[in-house]
Amino acid sequence: MTGYEKIAILLTELGSETSEKILAILNLSPAEMNKISKNILALGGYNPRNMLHVQRETAVLEEVKNFGELRGIYKEVAPGNGGFIMVDDNLESLKREVPKNPEDVANVLRGWLDS
């Protein structure tokens, strides 16, 4: 999956208000914005029964989750059975945290563009 595809998936998941903040920080060229827009259009509608859609979304969100763990958005806690679970391991948590530090997410996206 290309960086532009990852960005398209993440931005559609985060919604327009948060996405606009992130894109403003990135200060993308018109060519970069055009590529992102084309990739968003190419995604089409999300179908949770389509394994390709689910796998793409999962891969992108896993990368963002890993980034979130490094930034303290997610924390591991030991439940009663001795294993580990993730606290706030969902998209809603990410949507709450991203507007607080859109620069951090913009840095991830810049890395995706450069890869």
Side-chain angles (χ1 to χ4, degrees):
M1 185 177 337
T2 70
Y4 287 100
E5 289 169 325
K6 292 177 193 178
I7 291 170
I9 291 168
L10 182 61
L11 293 180
T12 57
E13 289 292 327
L14 294 176
S16 62
E17 183 178 329
T18 301
S19 295
E20 287 174 14
K21 289 179 184 179
I22 294 167
L23 291 172
I25 293 166
L26 283 172
N27 194 27
L28 300 170
S29 71
E32 289 171 320
M33 280 301 299
N34 190 32
K35 286 181 184 179
I36 291 171
S37 296
K38 284 182 180 181
N39 277 277
I40 289 172
L41 290 174
L43 288 174
Y46 178 75
N47 180 354
R49 293 186 179 153
N50 182 320
M51 284 309 296
L52 176 62
H53 290 189
V54 172
Q55 289 170 341
R56 287 186 317 197
E57 178 187 46
T58 301
V60 170
L61 294 177
E62 183 67 26
E63 277 192 57
V64 174
K65 182 181 76 69
N66 291 338
F67 175 80
E69 289 170 343
L70 293 173
R71 294 286 193 237
I73 296 170
Y74 301 100
K75 299 175 186 169
E76 288 190 359
V77 296
N81 65 8
F84 285 90
I85 61 171
M86 299 303 294
V87 174
D88 281 337
D89 187 14
N90 61 54
L91 184 57
E92 292 308 312
S93 172
L94 185 64
K95 285 181 179 179
R96 283 192 310 272
E97 293 300 322
V98 167
K100 295 177 186 175
N101 288 307
E103 296 87 4
D104 288 340
V105 176
N107 288 333
V108 172
L109 300 188
R110 177 55 65 194
W112 288 350
L113 288 173
D114 296 338
S115 63

